[in-house]
């Protein structure tokens, strides 16, 4: 069922948890004020804290609409059509309806297990949303008309963010760090008591 969400609302999304750039979350924290509209994953928005958030412009209503949705085959087809990097099928989603003057925007977070997708659309005037990981903006989405589909999958390790399908090496530990196509992180190489020769052995 759709519910009305006002400022400083904590939402339970444990039925369809969202893995935002490699970190799995079962709650959302929503702030609606005159400065911005924020959906954060690890506590209410605070500009001086390193957080994971979606930050948008202030809304024109003191509240937004929110609902959790079971798997939708049409949404799944659309997301996977626009985002071939998503490798599994939709498990469910959470949706916000946000009012701006003359239009309403949909913000959908789609649960794909170790992966996730964001869909933003429905507004005619240019609206900017920032995707923030650990307090740093990793992407800025400008919405004008057509929906934007964004793969928000990734892996995290020691404060670093890795894109799916990327392998890199850590010279300090001689280990190989890999973020698989489905955003599963693996690290291979020397153990803590072993001496490295520079080849991960």
């Amino acid at each position: 069922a759709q519910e009305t969400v006002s400022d400083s609302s904590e939402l339970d999304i444990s039925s369809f948890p969202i893995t935002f750039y490699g970190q799995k979350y079962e709650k959302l924290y929503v702030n609606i004020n005159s400065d911005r509209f924020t959906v954060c994953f690890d506590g209410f928005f605070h500009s001086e804290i390193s957080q994971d958030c979606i930050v948008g412009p202030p809304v024109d209503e003191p509240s937004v609409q929110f609902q959790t949705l079971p798997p939708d085959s049409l949404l799944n087809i659309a997301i996977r059509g626009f985002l071939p990097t998503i490798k599994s099928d939709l498990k469910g989603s959470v949706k916000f309806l946000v009012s701006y003057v003359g239009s309403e925007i949909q913000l959908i977070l789609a649960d794909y297990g170790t992966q996730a997708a964001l869909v933003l659309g429905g507004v005619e005037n240019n609206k900017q949303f920032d995707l923030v990981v650990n307090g740093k903006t990793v992407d800025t989405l400008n919405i004008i008309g057509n929906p934007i589909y964004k793969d928000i999958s990734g892996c995290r390790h020691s404060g670093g963010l890795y894109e799916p399908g990327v392998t890199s090496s850590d010279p300090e530990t001689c280990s190989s760090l890999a973020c698989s196509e489905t955003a599963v992180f693996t690290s291979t190489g020397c153990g803590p008591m072993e001496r490295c020769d520079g080849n991960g052995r």
Side-chain angles (χ1 to χ4, degrees):
Q2 192 163 289
E3 62 179 291
T4 300
V5 174
S6 55
D7 187 32
S8 299
S9 292
E10 180 180 319
L11 305 172
D12 181 352
I13 58 163
S14 56
S15 51
F16 304 118
I18 299 298
T19 305
F20 185 70
Y21 289 101
Q23 188 74 43
K24 183 179 176 180
Y25 292 107
E26 297 189 348
K27 288 188 175 177
L28 295 176
Y29 300 85
V30 178
N31 282 115
I32 305 164
N33 56 45
S34 58
D35 293 328
R36 59 184 71 84
F37 163 61
T38 56
V39 177
C40 294
F41 296 88
D42 49 359
F44 292 110
F45 180 81
H46 194 291
S47 58
E48 293 172 23
I49 300 176
S50 294
Q51 287 180 285
D52 290 351
C53 297
I54 298 167
V55 181
V59 298
D60 297 316
E61 302 273 338
S63 63
V64 298
Q65 300 299 311
F66 167 78
Q67 64 186 131
T68 56
L69 299 165
D72 177 323
S73 58
L74 291 177
L75 178 62
N76 184 50
I77 289 167
I79 289 173
R80 295 199 61 189
F82 279 98
L83 300 173
T85 50
I86 297 287
K87 302 297 182 186
S88 58
D89 280 324
L90 182 65
K91 297 179 183 301
S93 61
V94 296
K95 179 170 85 169
F96 290 92
L97 288 174
V98 187
S99 293
Y100 291 100
V101 171
S103 58
E104 194 171 53
I105 192 169
Q106 283 190 40
L107 186 159
I108 298 171
L109 291 162
D111 172 16
Y112 281 93
T114 56
Q115 293 185 281
L118 169 68
V119 183
L120 276 168
V123 71
E124 291 175 17
N125 307 325
N126 185 8
K127 298 291 181 192
Q128 179 177 304
F129 284 77
D130 291 331
L131 306 183
V132 179
V133 176
N134 270 342
K136 297 188 181 81
T137 300
V138 296
D139 210 338
T140 296
L141 307 176
N142 288 298
I143 312 163
I144 311 173
N146 292 336
I148 290 177
Y149 294 82
K150 175 70 183 171
D151 186 341
I152 53 172
S153 309
C155 298
R156 301 193 203 193
H157 177 68
S158 299
L161 182 62
Y162 300 85
E163 290 183 17
V166 170
T167 301
S168 61
S169 58
D170 183 342
E172 286 189 19
T173 61
C174 304
S175 58
S176 174
L177 311 174
C179 184
S180 74
E181 286 192 345
T182 54
V184 175
F185 181 79
T186 54
S187 173
T188 55
C190 300
M193 303 305 289
E194 296 174 302
R195 186 170 169 276
C196 289
D197 64 6
N199 295 314
R201 301 184 192 287

